[in-house]
Amino acid sequence: MCGIVGYIGKRNAYPILIKGLHRLEYRGYDSAGVALINAQGQLNIYKAKGKVAELEAYASDKDTTGTIGIAHTRWATHGEPNTVNAHPHYSESERLAIIHNGIIENYAVLKAGLQKEGYSFKSETDTEVLIQLIEYTQVNKHVDLRTAVQLALQQVIGAYAIAVLDKDHPDTLIAARKGSPLVVGVGQEEYFIASDATPIVEYTDKVIYIEDEEVVKLSTKGQSTKGQSTKGQSTKGQSTKDEGIEITTINNVQKTPEIKRLELSLSQLEKGGYPHFMLKEIFEQPRTLADSMRGRVNVRQDNIALSGFIDNKERFMNAKRIIITACGTSWHAGLIAMYAIEEFAQIPVEVEYSSEFRYRKPVINRDDVVIAISQSGETADTLAAIQLAKEKGAFIFSICNVIGASIPRLSNSGCYTHVGPEIGVASTKAFTAQVVALTMLALCIGKEKGTMSEEQYLHVVRALGQIPDKIECVLSQNKRIADFAKTFTYAQNFIYLGRGYNYPVALEGALKLKEISYIHAEGYPAAEMKHGPIALISQEMPVVVVAPRCGTYEKVVSNIQEIKARNGRVIAIVTEGDKMVSKIADYVIEVPETEECLTPLLTVIPLQLLAYHIAVVKGCDVDQPRNLAKSVTVE
Ligand code: F6R
């Protein structure tokens, strides 16, 4: 939510910042802005409403020189998305500039105090309050910029990743974080800061992950990179010997910077010939799932080894209950896991929206295992939910994609999904990898507890190994799905139905359609249709039914007949060779046969493609749908 990027070094900062903003645009794109200090010591700020391209157009005839700068792409929280509320913000004297990702919760109190001191505010943002507070502190306490930032942040309640410039000190950039991510890139006599490593990767593979309540001072004065080496390994515990980087806490305790080696390649951040990241990510799934299983499902496909489970077996064996907490698509993956864990491990599972769980005074016991699922690892509600569960003594296991993110760092143990960066705002490859990781976990617990037979275990493990190839088969129907997607762009509403393991798939299919095509869609357990939604069925209402040949298949076929009897139009996802549904549905997409618990990994693929193609035909911005941001770091 909001992306921040900064540069200090010898190069012209502007092109680096603009490229960085494009990489971070998935985090928010309501407005964008940049601040640069030029060689004459002027602090220039340029801002534009809308995407980074609007900012580029606006700044095209302006002075964009300067070897130090900060830039921001915004997802609006306080104040509507317009140029005034866009970041960076000047301080009262226009000597300082700030960019901010997060929310200052006590901004109203701080603002009132500053107004009494004669400070005026141009924007409605909480961020402007912070830069005024920093300037007020600097002026009244006669301290340097870093100290002023430290003292100001001591008064702040909320979350922040900030970067601050001072035009009187063009050789220094100050940044800090609490609750919002911040990475420093360490180059040769140059430094980068960003919300994640994507703007940094083409310049350096040396990064420092800033911790909560740390303040980093980057300076080119007296900077030397001599003696610095990180080849191959993280330099955990070693000083960087780089006089250009100083890290302290907001209480001015000195910290030793730890340079880590970045595991990210540039090609992962590019579309690779696809028109959209979302389509690229849908097509990547055979490979990403193979990556998720690599080293975990053994070559003979008869065993699963999850180190996060092996090291903490006792916690799982003693668990009386498993609570799964997540948001959005990750919550849907959690719902699928509930079916798998209860079936294989016979441990009761509760699946909770993190936002509800954290506020409803839940009963959490010391022998509960809490599984947090998050692609980004930064979702504010999920982070708060596990904080609460941890305080109550529960064991926290997280399923995450972004390595080193806040949620895995706070967890006792976990499992990374290893699908690489997911850039399309609508989650696709992260979802299937979460389902794979959770299924592997369910199998590990079931085997260890002896609650599933050896035969069943082997069947599922082998079937899991075959999933990447089977997804290839589903993807080969892309053209056909694209063709019939055109038929449905008229629709104002869609219903998605599924049962058992495929009920969460119906929810996920509906969410995908809503978020990228802006068509209203609802997912239901198929049998619930009769209890209300059937009233909506008419010729105008497309109904997507997920009906693989397993579990309650016959009952779902009856539901399809009920829809057809009311002239609804049915798009059915069925198992290869299905005869019954093919006769009655209007459109049929076949998926290969697999174990029931793994069917979501196949049935969700046509739903991702259907949503994608409908959105494309409608001319929607698939990768950056309106009002959304990839990583929801605010409540
Ligand atoms: C939907 C989507 C969101 C996320 C949700 C949780 O396509 O991407 O619903 O799933 O915001 O995000 P993470 O998984 O990063 O915690």
Side-chain angles (χ1 to χ4, degrees), residues 327-330 374-376 379 425-427 434 511-512 515 632:
C327 302
T329 287
S330 298
S374 176
Q375 185 285 129
S376 61
T379 299
V425 164
S427 189
Q434 288 166 347
L511 179 62
K512 288 289 91 87
E515 61 185 333
V632 185

Side-chain angles (χ1 to χ4, degrees), residues 23 38 75 97 287 294 340 429 431 471 555 557 576 597 602:
R23 292 258 165 80
N38 69 14
W75 186 86
R287 183 187 56 73
R294 184 159 302 116
K429 64 176 180 175
F431 170 75
I471 292 182
K555 306 217 180 289
V557 175
E576 262 166 13
C597 64
L602 304 179

